[in-house]
Amino acid sequence: MNFRMSLVACCAVLAAGTALSEIASLDKALNLANVSYRQDMTTRDIIVNYEIVGSPAMIQADVLTNGVSIGCAQTFTGDYTHSSNDVFAVGTHSFRWRARKDWPDNLVDNLKVRVQAYYPEEGASLFGNYMVIDLADGFAVSYLYDVPAGGWTDEYKTTKLVLRKIPAGSVRNAADNYTIVQTKPYWMGVFETTQKQYALIMGGECTDVAAKKAKMGMSYTMLRGSVTGLSYPASKAVDATSFFGVLREKAGLAFDLPSEMQWEYACRAGTTTVYYNGTDTGYSGIVILDGSWGNSMWVVGRATPNAWGLYDMLGNVSEICADVLPNWGAVSFSGQKLTDYEGVTGKTGVNQLVIVRSGAWDNPGVYSSGSTSSSNANCKGPAYGAATRYLDSAANRGNTIGAAGFRVCLPPQ
């Protein structure tokens, strides 16, 4: 998929008082076509017309005269992206450039207007590190440069869904001797999906008391479906009635569960140790911000986040991943370089075992990547490490897992 398309409209000569002529548009692209412009002879404004096809887009433009860009024009008005809220629908649009204000003492000769359309997920690289889906306002997509001045208030845990951009790169699991490589950035939920968010997406009621708590008691088929959704990673398609099928339809983006390695890479946030606080022996640096560890699930966002600002990556509820267990028993990646690894193919049945990461309040056994042991002790903190995998012979794709929740991911497109 192409992520950015650029078309140029140009004419031979445009001087003050003349009309535009010889307008040319480059090849029609996947999501941008029919770029043209004209001049308002009264105001001398340049009016640029364009068409978005295929999918909604963010729009940027550059104005060149005699082959030289005028720089950042401050006077574009109309259907033009000034902030991450400005995502435009498929169809015809226009914006206006106030040439007299940006270029007051110059003729506009050999004018070219280069219009660029960005898919929203790539456009975010222009506008910030956080993607916000407004679940209570038409699933509108916007972006933030940074954490809001007031922090992540309750709306980001209930009526909005916020994801962090995870940079491309690599990280080593020192204990288990493998390296995870992600060649493209992707997006990961800042919080585990809450009960209120789930209700707004799927329909249903949610009490105020439960609103900010993670949604748990989930199964793989509830999230991806029991037919099309079982073909991962060969196919990224999901059932239309599944959670991700509904979310994709409403938000227009191909959200999914993270793969196991996407989950671990995001959890580590550059660290190579067992815990994302930089230690191998304990989680003392990961603390509850407004109280103490308890013997039950807590409201999302209570524990200190990792270096990329992701909360509850260890503890609270365990998190279902998109791929399934290669085989029951010891699984070792020792010595491997796992580049964009999405799991094994060919395991499409509903009885395949689900991979669950993070650890949960009700089952804190610290397992190695391939261990099949379990523990019933109470969890008062994130006893799982960044590389640990919970295995349960009953945790197939069709079964609900009592303390299992999930985190929304937007994988590389």
Side-chain angles (χ1 to χ4, degrees), residues 294-319:
N295 292 329
S296 63
M297 177 180 62
W298 59 79
V299 169
V300 300
R302 288 186 66 205
T304 48
N306 68 9
W308 286 339
L310 305 181
Y311 290 81
D312 307 319
M313 291 296 289
L314 300 177
N316 201 23
V317 296
S318 53
E319 300 180 19

Side-chain angles (χ1 to χ4, degrees), residues 16-203:
T18 66
L20 288 169
S21 61
E22 300 180 25
I23 295 173
S25 178
L26 298 184
D27 293 341
K28 292 182 178 180
L30 175 65
N31 67 334
L32 191 63
N34 300 325
V35 174
S36 64
Y37 61 75
R38 63 182 178 84
Q39 186 173 35
D40 184 321
M41 298 309 297
T42 301
T43 64
R44 295 294 191 267
D45 290 356
I46 305 299
I47 301 168
V48 180
N49 301 294
Y50 63 92
E51 180 183 1
I52 298 173
V53 296
S55 67
M58 294 179 174
I59 297 297
Q60 294 280 280
D62 188 23
V63 177
L64 302 93
T65 178
N66 286 322
V68 178
S69 172
I70 67 166
C72 183
Q74 300 299 313
T75 59
F76 288 139
T77 60
D79 291 350
Y80 183 83
T81 298
H82 293 285
S83 75
S84 61
N85 292 308
D86 301 330
V87 178
F88 301 105
V90 170
T92 57
H93 299 270
S94 68
F95 62 86
R96 181 180 289 255
W97 173 47
R98 295 177 60 191
R100 277 181 167 173
K101 184 172 180 61
D102 279 338
W103 205 244
D105 300 316
N106 299 276
L107 292 177
V108 181
D109 294 332
N110 294 318
L111 181 73
K112 293 184 179 180
V113 180
R114 179 180 294 113
V115 181
Q116 294 175 305
Y118 295 81
Y119 287 100
E121 59 265 32
E122 192 197 26
S125 65
L126 301 174
F127 306 112
N129 292 315
Y130 296 92
M131 175 191 297
V132 179
I133 314 298
D134 193 333
L135 307 179
D137 186 19
F139 288 72
V141 180
S142 62
Y143 299 90
L144 300 172
Y145 282 103
D146 208 343
V147 179
W152 297 120
T153 54
D154 286 353
E155 64 180 328
Y156 294 100
K157 305 170 187 177
T158 54
T159 61
K160 293 181 179 179
L161 184 67
V162 58
L163 294 87
R164 172 70 155 87
K165 186 177 184 179
I166 305 301
S170 65
V171 68
R172 183 168 176 264
N173 177 335
D176 294 325
N177 188 33
Y178 59 82
T179 299
I180 304 169
V181 180
Q182 297 294 329
T183 63
K184 297 178 181 179
Y186 59 100
W187 298 85
M188 194 75 158
V190 170
F191 305 106
E192 293 159 329
T193 305
T194 65
Q195 296 184 39
K196 180 66 173 181
Q197 291 167 338
Y198 189 90
L200 286 173
I201 293 166
M202 297 300 289

